Amino acid sequence: MSSDKLDRLAKAPLQEILHLLFRQLDGALRQRDPSLDTSAWRDLIAALEAGETPESVTRLAAVLIALVEDKLKTLRDRFSVDFAGSLAADITQMTDWESTAEFLSIAEEKAQAEQEIVIASALLVACGRSEYASYLIEVIEDDAGALDVDAVIARRLLLHAGAIDATNADAPSQARAWLENRSHR
């Protein structure tokens, strides 16, 4: 993605970011709870943006937690790594593969698990579940300033959840401090 598009994404209103995240997880969410359709998204986005936690947000959080746990299990069982290890791993060294098609399939499975963990964790943080922010920190740290889409989304949701000014040069440190403060409660 171009740097202009990433910059627009980083500055997009929360409502647009949440809509993008829901759209990315549409199939996985509907598979787990068919009531999480496009009209439900609108209500959930409005509630999340307003900082409300109606029953629908609680139900969404349960579905997202199950999704994160399922994808973490995929990384553990299939690749013998945790999330941070998966981000840092060299896919060519992770598993045996014999053909280009097999390698691409394995790489896609790993990348999809990572992406769904990031997206679901970002939505969980928006739902007030700060214990999932550690996955967002890990993707930002792995990104090391390159600012891929997942890192931009992770940073945007962390800053929103922590009420941190994105223009502050110390924003990443403030996000870590916010997370540390939340974990001591």
Side-chain angles (χ1 to χ4, degrees):
M1 184 176 275
S2 75
S3 62
D4 287 344
K5 287 182 181 179
L6 286 172
D7 188 50
R8 280 197 310 268
L9 180 63
K11 295 175 182 173
L14 181 64
Q15 182 178 22
E16 288 179 27
I17 300 289
L18 294 172
H19 182 77
L20 172 69
L21 298 178
F22 276 110
R23 197 172 65 218
Q24 294 265 329
L25 286 183
D26 181 43
L29 291 175
R30 284 187 199 215
Q31 183 178 19
R32 293 167 189 277
D33 184 342
S35 71
L36 291 172
D37 60 10
T38 307
S39 64
W41 296 357
R42 284 189 266 279
D43 295 338
L44 287 162
I45 289 169
L48 292 173
E49 193 173 30
E52 300 169 357
T53 53
E55 176 59 33
S56 59
V57 171
T58 304
R59 194 174 74 246
L60 171 65
V63 171
L64 292 168
I65 289 167
L67 177 62
V68 169
E69 292 304 319
D70 181 50
K71 295 307 173 180
L72 290 171
K73 184 178 182 327
T74 296
L75 294 178
R76 280 190 309 271
D77 294 353
R78 180 82 163 98
F79 302 107
S80 302
V81 294
D82 62 7
F83 181 66
S86 182
L87 292 173
D90 177 355
I91 187 68
T92 62
Q93 305 299 314
M94 288 184 75
T95 186
D96 293 331
W97 49 276
E98 295 182 19
S99 68
T100 302
E102 188 178 6
F103 171 77
L104 292 173
S105 176
I106 292 166
E108 174 64 24
E109 180 182 9
K110 177 184 167 293
Q112 183 169 350
E114 292 168 354
Q115 184 178 46
E116 287 185 9
I117 291 167
V118 171
I119 294 169
S121 294
L123 286 169
L124 282 162
V125 167
C127 289
R129 300 297 301 263
S130 61
E131 66 269 30
Y132 288 87
S134 62
Y135 298 115
L136 303 182
I137 296 279
E138 288 172 359
V139 81
I140 292 166
E141 288 175 349
D142 181 71
D143 182 64
L147 294 179
D148 73 358
V149 173
D150 289 342
V152 168
I153 288 170
R155 185 176 189 276
R156 179 71 170 84
L157 266 289
L158 271 176
L159 296 178
H160 170 76
I164 300 164
D165 180 4
T167 61
N168 185 332
D170 197 31
S173 296
Q174 288 181 355
R176 281 186 203 84
W178 169 81
L179 180 57
E180 182 68 24
N181 183 41
R182 302 284 299 185
S183 66
H184 288 305
R185 288 185 181 180

